[in-house]
Amino acid sequence: MDERYFPDQVETEVQQFWEQNGSFRVAEDPDKEKFYCLSMFPYPSGRLHMGHVRNYTIGDVISRYQRMRGKNVLQPMGWDAFGLPAENAAIQNQVPAAKWTYENIDYMRTQLKRMGFAYDWHREIATCHPEYYRWEQWLLTRLFEKGLMYKRMAEVNWDPVEQTVLANEQVDSEGRGWRSGALVERREIPHWFLKITDYAEELLDEIDNLDGWPDEVRKMQRDWIGRSEGLEVDFSVEGSDSPLRIYTTRPDTLFGVTFMAVAAAHPLALEAAKDNFELARFIDECRRGGTSEAALETMEKRGMRIARNAVNPLNGEAVPIFAANYVLMSYGTGAIMGVPGHDFRDHDFARENSLEIREVVAPADGSEIDVQQEAFVSYDIVTVNSGDFSGLSFKDAFDRLGEWVEARGIGTRTVRYRLRDWGISRQRYWGCPVPMIHCERCGEVPVPESDLPVVLPEDVAHVGHGSPLTRMPEFLNTTCPACGGKAQRETDTLDTFVESSWYYARFACARNDQSMLDERADYWLPVDQYVGGIEHAVLHLLYARFFHKLMRDAGLIQSDEPFKNLLTQGMVVAETFYREKNGKTTYFAPADVEMSHDAKGKVTGAKLNTDGKPVEVGRVEKMSKSKNNGVDPQAMIDRYGADTVRLYMMFTSPPDQKLEWSDAAVEGAFRFLKKLWKLVHAHVREKTPPTIDTDALDDAQQTLRRKIHETIAKVSDDVGRRYTFNTAIAAVMELVNALAKSDDASPAGRALMQEGLDAVVLLLAPIVPHTSHVLWRELGHESAIIDERWPVAEEAAMERDAIDLVVQVNGKLRGHIQVSKSADRKTIETEALENPNVQRFVEGKAIRKLIVVPGKLVNVVV
RNA sequence: GCCGGGAUGGCGGAACUGGUAGACGCGCCAGACUCAAAAUCUGGUGGGGGCAACCUCGUGAGAGUUCGAGUCUCUCUCCCGGCACCA
């Protein structure tokens, strides 16, 4: 064994060992408890970034730990390979999207292998392969036949200059297109939808059962689905036969309606605009800007009167109708009732338009409010100024008004969801073709199973904008499967969230070319541990849950939910460095900047290496191209090896918090591995120690042995239950420090060193698998460490005779005492009061109370 | 705007169930080794006071509950994630 630690050498050797032994290839084994650990698969953008490295290290540590616990562990990897960046690269560099994607996959695969992740590569999936997406197309045709997929109009961002549809990301905060700079318009085009709303209730109810998920993710999903109970009510419109239907969750405020608002695109508004030029112009202006909810909610609320009134059915009052930019045709009924006294947005709108603000509910506790100043929105109310419905609680008002409108046939009590059906159409090229055919005679016809897959042509020319599929007659023209006549293929492709909604199931039988899934899916599913970024808390995770139920109801699998346990990891962030010149900001890479410190280590400034002149130290932000603050993991791996990068990632913060990059701290992780290596080297240089005689240890040896077993217990709990790998590593570091300090050369001392180092190497095996593999062999073991069992702490070794207690006076720490493990309360109290420093603070004062917290502290209240 | 999360030394973080604030690591300071540097090793390191024992202040701001609050409650500030076409 060399005294020095050469990570490259170690890692190459160990990775070869795994490769040659097929160490991570798994098959179904009914005799073993299975454990399916999955990390969210990457988009093949070109190179692994730090977020990937963090994500996959967490998943790998959990996988390796579970393997050491004796489980049959599946950990697969694949590529979320369709998407916008490939198309952008294709247009920019004139390189086919397919070629760009496959080359990226090849490079990133070597990077993942270099990190030593324990993947079963035989199950690798790329979603852009027809072998993968054919099954997705197959399922969609089934869903169409079941009525779960349908077509209707939907709004998109339309760039009037580029004549193309833009993603929300491509529209800036001012509502302009990212390349053209033109004001974007909302435009309606036909779209395919999946009926996720049919599953709203089940998706909501089952959140209660997801106890392995973080609470915040469950909260966000509940809110996203947004179940509400309310009342639909018809307001008649003067001079019209068709009433205006609205939905409200606050029927108790119906008597406070002083206006109505409809979407600018509402038929009522459009009709009124015919002979009102100003209104027509307003409606036109309302179409400007992006479609994202954030854009709609933050824009200035504007409205214009329509020359008609609506009539409140409760009190027969006529109220003005407005066309408003904040009411959307595609949400709800496209019309709302305005109650300025009891809704913030309506309050703002009423003030701007000088409308009446009326108080119709008052605080149940009788306190004073002034709705002219601020809307009162509490549910803890009593109705006032509401005719026969005055004096009621929220619930009573809700029930009585519900009965009232239902009896008259002008409304119904309704349960509604905020969740909307999932629009899956994209007017883009690099995606899975929607397996539908449009026939003039037969309408929308699904592609028959025998004609699947509809293969996306990979060799295409990207000229200008929009999808090249629409300009390819050989793709476009086909025959109708129903009548045999001329027909056209759908040229829209699918939202890439569709592919990522079921890949976790396909890993169970990735090479099956006969069916989408088979019985192996039921062996492996649900995923026992899913690991990925918190940014997926709602969309991806909700769509995957939805797809799981779709596949269940198609008879493909039996479980109800895809992911048993979920770990959401935080972002990787880093400092930014910049200079401002003529109002333009230039960012500099952290690698090119040197920091200066004062005598206490506080940062005093930074300068650029190339010109030696100062740069500004900016905020800590998510690593990104635009801020130039990314650190390439590859450079770190080349310099320190995969184990150091893995150790650093896991040590520097808990997985669910953000991770702030620091070059210096990576150096620290490397130092620790070197130290451990040297410690093992120094130990194995001597002859093999005898087996330990635990009854013959002196006090110091017993203390060290207790430390060994306490560390095993702590690390097992931190890794297995808490997922706080940072504290697990800190505990191992403490143990290594204790072992390094021990200079006990006696046989028992040497035996203890062996026991301690064995434990350290086993506990670190999931985190630094290469180094552990080699050190385990050096410590005299024949087996490969990946086949070893996780160590178990010995209770007897952890027993203590005496415990340390803290003594407080009035809650302030004043002394420490040591008492026997079996000491009773009386003895503890006496000991505590005899402590000299405690006496100083108690002297001359009356003891009011003595609080003894067993095993922890004594608090003397004087 | 709505939903969710966060804020603790110079820095990353620890304190798990309301019970010793700052584990572990980085950085910094001092020393050893060295011609010198790097590497390595030893010691110190929240602010203020004190020769010391110790005292005192201190967990984004303000209030509250409690014998005791980083932890619970309320109000606020700032930062981050998501908002349905980035993935």
Side-chain angles (χ1 to χ4, degrees):
Chain A
M1 182 185 186
D2 200 302
E3 190 188 357
R4 290 161 301 172
Y5 171 56
F6 296 115
D8 258 4
Q9 209 174 303
V10 167
E11 290 173 9
T12 309
E13 178 200 321
V14 178
Q15 282 167 17
Q16 270 170 14
F17 174 88
W18 293 333
E19 184 88 40
Q20 278 158 16
N21 289 277
S23 298
F24 306 117
R25 191 164 185 175
V26 277
E28 302 67 45
D29 180 349
D31 299 330
K32 262 172 132 180
E33 193 183 339
K34 66 95 184 176
F35 191 91
Y36 181 4
C37 183
L38 181 67
S39 295
M40 289 179 186
F41 64 167
Y43 176 78
S45 54
R47 295 171 78 82
L48 238 44
H49 57 65
M50 284 295 177
H52 293 133
V53 173
R54 188 181 193 196
N55 193 163
Y56 302 148
T57 302
I58 294 166
D60 198 49
V61 170
I62 295 170
S63 294
R64 289 173 180 271
Y65 166 75
Q66 291 296 343
R67 180 188 177 121
M68 291 179 82
R69 297 295 305 270
K71 309 257 179 80
N72 189 28
V73 175
L74 166 61
Q75 196 188 196
M77 183 42 72
W79 311 95
D80 188 13
F82 277 135
L84 208 46
E87 220 161 315
N88 291 336
I91 294 165
Q92 251 168 42
N93 313 326
Q94 291 300 307
V95 49
K99 182 173 186 280
W100 185 84
T101 303
Y102 290 128
E103 282 174 6
N104 287 347
I105 288 175
D106 286 340
Y107 182 73
M108 290 171 77
R109 189 189 301 108
T110 63
Q111 289 191 298
L112 291 176
K113 289 194 171 173
R114 182 65 191 82
M115 284 300 294
F117 297 134
Y119 296 137
D120 182 352
W121 283 104
H122 292 91
R123 296 167 186 265
E124 182 180 351
I125 284 170
T127 57
C128 59
H129 281 147
E131 294 81 57
Y132 180 80
Y133 65 69
R134 63 179 293 191
W135 299 113
E136 185 168 308
Q137 294 177 333
W138 172 81
L139 185 68
L140 288 183
T141 59
R142 294 291 169 285
L143 295 177
F144 176 80
E145 275 153 13
K146 278 185 166 181
L148 286 165
M149 180 166 123
Y150 65 94
K151 202 175 196 179
R152 69 164 161 85
M153 300 298 273
E155 282 184 331
V156 294
N157 303 307
W158 180 256
D159 187 319
V161 172
E162 290 197 340
Q163 293 284 302
T164 183
V165 176
L166 297 181
N168 283 341
E169 193 195 40
Q170 300 171 318
V171 179
D172 70 16
S173 54
E174 264 102 67
R176 291 175 186 276
W178 66 338
R179 272 196 275 257
S180 70
L183 271 177
V184 167
E185 293 170 11
R186 295 194 291 272
R187 177 179 278 206
E188 289 216 315
I189 59 168
H191 257 253
W192 288 101
F193 281 86
L194 290 181
K195 259 196 187 167
I196 191 172
T197 50
D198 272 13
Y199 286 80
E201 198 180 343
E202 189 189 347
L203 286 166
L204 180 68
D205 290 346
E206 269 186 79
I207 293 172
D208 295 341
N209 304 329
L210 297 174
D211 50 11
W213 284 38
D215 282 342
E216 63 262 32
V217 175
R218 296 162 81 189
K219 271 186 216 151
M220 279 190 267
Q221 290 219 347
R222 275 194 198 100
D223 182 70
W224 188 264
I225 296 169
R227 184 184 190 276
S228 67
E229 289 176 15
L231 199 58
E232 284 184 12
V233 187
D234 287 336
F235 281 59
S236 56
V237 178
E238 287 177 352
S240 165
D241 294 336
S242 46
L244 204 52
R245 172 155 282 214
I246 57 95
Y247 172 78
T248 177
T249 56
R250 294 303 302 262
D252 56 319
T253 66
L254 264 165
F255 282 83
V257 174
T258 56
F259 70 96
M260 303 287 283
V262 300
H266 195 278
L268 212 57
L270 295 177
E271 192 209 296
K274 277 181 192 159
D275 46 9
N276 183 339
F277 173 72
E278 233 183 313
L279 184 62
R281 201 172 60 183
F282 174 75
I283 289 170
D284 202 46
E285 277 169 17
C286 284
R287 282 173 40 206
R288 292 209 193 125
T291 57
S292 79
E293 191 175 304
L296 296 169
E297 289 273 346
T298 50
M299 72 188 170
E300 195 196 344
K301 312 272 179 290
R302 294 171 61 210
M304 188 173 276
R305 261 210 79 168
I306 293 175
R308 277 208 182 145
N309 289 324
V311 178
N312 188 335
L314 273 307
N315 54 15
E317 277 180 30
V319 292
I321 304 176
F322 285 77
N325 63 351
Y326 67 98
V327 183
L328 285 184
M329 209 48 226
S330 46
Y331 300 76
T333 60
I336 59 163
M337 68 178 199
V339 185
H342 305 286
D343 180 282
F344 291 123
R345 281 203 326 190
D346 295 347
H347 196 272
D348 291 345
F349 190 87
R351 290 202 134 191
E352 259 157 55
N353 294 283
S354 311
L355 296 163
E356 188 193 346
I357 300 171
R358 207 179 276 182
E359 181 184 338
V360 290
V361 301
D365 62 10
S367 54
E368 287 287 311
I369 51 161
D370 180 5
V371 295
Q372 304 304 322
Q373 287 304 309
E374 192 186 26
F376 171 68
V377 299
S378 166
Y379 283 86
D380 193 16
I381 57 101
V382 55
T383 52
V384 296
N385 307 324
S386 298
D388 293 345
F389 298 92
S390 296
L392 301 176
S393 68
F394 171 76
K395 195 184 171 301
D396 289 343
F398 190 109
D399 290 342
R400 296 240 337 245
L401 282 154
E403 284 161 21
W404 193 87
V405 297
E406 279 173 3
R408 279 153 189 80
I410 53 162
T412 42
R413 276 172 282 193
T414 326
V415 171
R416 279 214 189 183
Y417 295 91
R418 200 183 79 99
L419 183 69
R420 308 196 299 266
D421 276 341
W422 177 11
I424 52 171
S425 292
R426 298 292 180 270
Q427 295 71 45
R428 300 193 209 296
Y429 157 69
W430 188 237
C432 170
V434 177
M436 296 296 296
I437 291 168
H438 183 78
C439 172
E440 296 272 311
R441 280 166 299 249
C442 312
E444 306 296 337
V445 184
V447 175
E449 189 170 351
S450 54
D451 292 347
L452 290 176
V454 177
V455 177
L456 180 74
E458 294 194 350
D459 191 19
V460 298
H462 288 276
V463 280
H465 304 292
S467 167
L469 294 181
T470 57
R471 299 184 289 266
M472 292 176 76
E474 65 273 31
F475 179 84
L476 205 54
N477 297 326
T478 185
T479 50
C480 172
C483 70
K486 275 190 181 174
Q488 289 210 315
R489 274 189 202 288
E490 173 65 67
T491 55
D492 280 0
T493 54
L494 291 169
D495 178 2
T496 57
F497 272 128
V498 178
E499 284 88 59
S500 56
S501 291
W502 67 283
Y503 77 110
Y504 64 89
R506 182 66 182 175
F507 277 131
C509 52
R511 300 280 90 83
N512 184 342
D513 59 1
Q514 298 301 309
S515 60
M516 186 175 188
L517 299 176
D518 59 37
E519 69 288 349
R520 288 173 288 177
D522 275 328
Y523 173 84
W524 289 112
L525 291 174
V527 172
D528 294 278
Q529 182 66 61
Y530 198 30
V531 185
I534 182 70
E535 66 272 21
H536 295 292
V538 175
L539 290 177
H540 162 61
L541 287 165
L542 190 66
Y543 291 146
R545 292 183 59 219
F546 169 48
F547 247 73
H548 198 85
K549 293 168 198 303
L550 291 175
M551 294 190 290
R552 177 200 62 195
D553 293 346
L556 297 167
I557 43 172
Q558 287 175 20
S559 43
D560 293 319
E561 285 285 335
F563 312 120
K564 198 162 174 242
N565 296 293
L566 174 69
L567 197 159
T568 49
Q569 132 231 352
M571 290 180 309
V572 180
V573 296
E575 269 170 326
T576 53
F577 303 98
Y578 66 94
R579 277 183 192 152
E580 282 191 341
K581 202 177 169 187
N582 308 329
K584 251 187 90 177
T585 309
T586 314
Y587 287 92
F588 299 98
D592 301 332
V593 172
E594 200 167 326
M595 313 271 272
S596 47
H597 306 265
D598 65 12
K600 282 182 178 169
K602 193 172 180 173
V603 174
T604 50
K607 60 178 189 190
L608 195 63
N609 283 333
T610 49
D611 62 9
K613 289 177 187 160
V615 291
E616 300 294 320
V617 180
R619 283 211 292 242
V620 171
E621 296 194 60
K622 182 176 176 171
M623 283 189 179
S624 72
K625 268 197 188 121
S626 61
K627 298 289 157 58
N628 198 7
N629 64 339
V631 178
D632 187 356
Q634 195 57 48
M636 292 293 143
I637 299 165
D638 293 345
R639 189 159 164 199
Y640 298 105
D643 276 350
T644 291
V645 174
R646 295 169 61 118
L647 181 66
Y648 165 74
M649 284 271 165
M650 300 307 277
F651 175 59
T652 205
S653 55
D656 54 351
Q657 282 179 35
K658 71 171 168 36
L659 183 152
E660 193 175 320
W661 184 262
S662 151
D663 281 358
V666 181
E667 188 78 42
F670 187 53
R671 210 145 45 204
F672 171 74
L673 290 180
K674 282 194 286 189
K675 182 177 177 175
L676 175 62
W677 186 275
K678 268 172 85 172
L679 192 60
V680 171
H681 174 263
H683 173 70
V684 300
R685 204 170 43 185
E686 311 293 327
K687 65 176 198 289
T688 314
T691 42
I692 201 158
D693 178 2
T694 53
D695 295 330
L697 301 177
D698 64 29
D699 277 358
Q701 290 165 341
Q702 264 181 31
T703 303
L704 183 57
R705 188 151 194 272
R706 186 164 63 225
K707 181 90 186 164
I708 293 170
H709 286 270
E710 280 174 352
T711 304
I712 294 172
K714 165 135 183 80
V715 173
S716 303
D717 188 50
D718 284 353
V719 173
R721 179 182 66 89
R722 298 178 64 208
Y723 300 99
T724 51
F725 310 104
N726 56 330
T727 53
I729 293 165
V732 174
M733 284 175 169
E734 278 190 63
L735 177 57
V736 169
N737 289 343
L739 290 170
K741 275 215 177 82
S742 156
D743 49 5
D744 185 349
S746 71
R750 301 248 318 121
L752 213 50
M753 180 63 81
Q754 178 79 34
E755 190 182 6
L757 289 173
D758 279 354
V760 165
V761 171
L762 286 169
L763 295 174
L764 288 177
I767 299 163
V768 289
H770 310 89
T771 309
S772 301
H773 178 99
V774 171
L775 292 181
W776 184 246
R777 291 269 165 93
E778 295 294 349
L779 283 165
H781 305 283
E782 298 282 316
S783 61
I785 199 164
I786 49 165
D787 297 321
E788 278 300 319
R789 285 296 92 101
W790 187 257
V792 177
E794 248 177 60
E795 287 301 326
M798 295 190 287
E799 263 173 32
R800 293 165 180 269
D801 303 328
I803 28 178
D804 295 312
L805 289 184
V806 159
V807 187
Q808 299 178 332
V809 180
N810 287 346
K812 287 199 168 168
L813 173 66
R814 295 304 179 194
H816 298 264
I817 55 169
Q818 204 177 54
V819 294
S820 137
K821 193 178 64 179
S822 54
D824 60 6
R825 195 188 157 107
K826 197 93 213 145
T827 322
I828 293 171
E829 285 178 4
T830 316
E831 279 279 336
L833 292 172
E834 274 170 5
N835 179 288
N837 201 46
V838 171
Q839 280 187 350
R840 285 196 343 175
F841 287 90
V842 174
E843 221 161 46
K845 290 168 186 147
I847 296 173
R848 284 219 330 247
K849 211 170 175 184
L850 258 174
I851 293 154
V852 178
V853 183
K856 287 246 167 74
L857 60 70
V858 181
N859 189 14
V860 187
V861 186
V862 295

